[in-house]
Every structure is written in C-alpha cells, then in structure tokens.
Amino acid sequence: MVSWKELVLLVLSAVCFAGGGIFMKLSDGASRLLPTLAFLALFLVGAVVLAFAMRRGELGVMYIAVLGLEAALTLVFSIAYFHESFSSMRVLAVVLILAGVALLRW
C-alpha cells in the first residue's frame, strides 16, 4: 500500500518528468541552452524524488505508476501548451494506462 507521503512524491516526480518533456521539446534537439538545462534539471529532480518515494514501495508498482501519471500529464500539457491534437483514442489510451496502474495495487 502506498502512503500519502509516497503518493505525493510520486505525483511530484511525474510532474517533473512531464514538465521536463515540455522543455525537451522546447530545447529543439538540445540546441537551445536554457530549455536544455531546464529539462535536464527537471529530469534529475524527478529521478531523485522518485528514488525517495521508492524507499519503501515496490519498484514495479511505483515506477509504473509514475510512468502512467507522466503519460497522462504529458498528454494534457501537450494539448494545452503545444496545441497538439486531442482525440478520443488518445484519451482512451491514457485511461487504459491509468486503469492498468490502478490494477497494480491489487
């Protein structure tokens, strides 16, 4: 069972990874210094926060939970910030990912 503290750390980690993805795209293939530094910093912070969350939890559950939440956040961020396409299939795909993560708890 994941504690509230671990859950907060997992969410924070996923936000860092998803935010890092935004800056990765903005870095234009790591050719722009500030966005490149931002995505590297966010990925590093996300990894450290995830490491703290994993101290007591199961690797398979915790890591996959972060990936699932990151996928959902990245979809939302890409639609909101980059105006990427929004389709029912994309939403369904993320819902299935999150449902799979939820099933890992049992």
Side-chain angles (χ1 to χ4, degrees):
M1 188 65 129
V2 177
S3 72
W4 282 105
K5 181 180 176 182
E6 291 165 340
L7 184 60
V8 168
L9 291 174
L10 289 174
V11 170
L12 180 59
S13 178
V15 168
C16 286
F17 288 136
I22 289 172
F23 283 101
M24 183 184 288
K25 182 162 177 74
L26 292 173
S27 77
D28 196 27
S31 66
R32 297 177 60 216
L33 181 61
L34 292 179
T36 299
L37 293 175
F39 91 70
L40 291 172
L42 283 166
F43 284 174
L44 178 62
V45 170
V48 170
V49 170
L50 181 56
F52 279 108
M54 285 184 176
R55 287 192 302 189
R56 292 188 183 91
E58 295 181 37
L59 171 66
V61 174
M62 306 279 282
Y63 193 75
I64 292 171
V66 166
L67 291 176
L69 184 54
E70 178 190 354
L73 289 171
T74 300
L75 176 67
V76 171
F77 291 166
S78 69
I79 292 167
Y81 191 77
F82 297 113
H83 307 290
E84 293 183 0
S85 64
F86 177 77
S87 70
S88 57
M89 289 305 286
R90 284 187 178 193
V91 173
L92 177 61
V94 171
V95 167
L96 289 172
I97 290 168
L98 294 176
V101 169
L103 287 173
L104 284 173
R105 294 189 67 183
W106 280 283

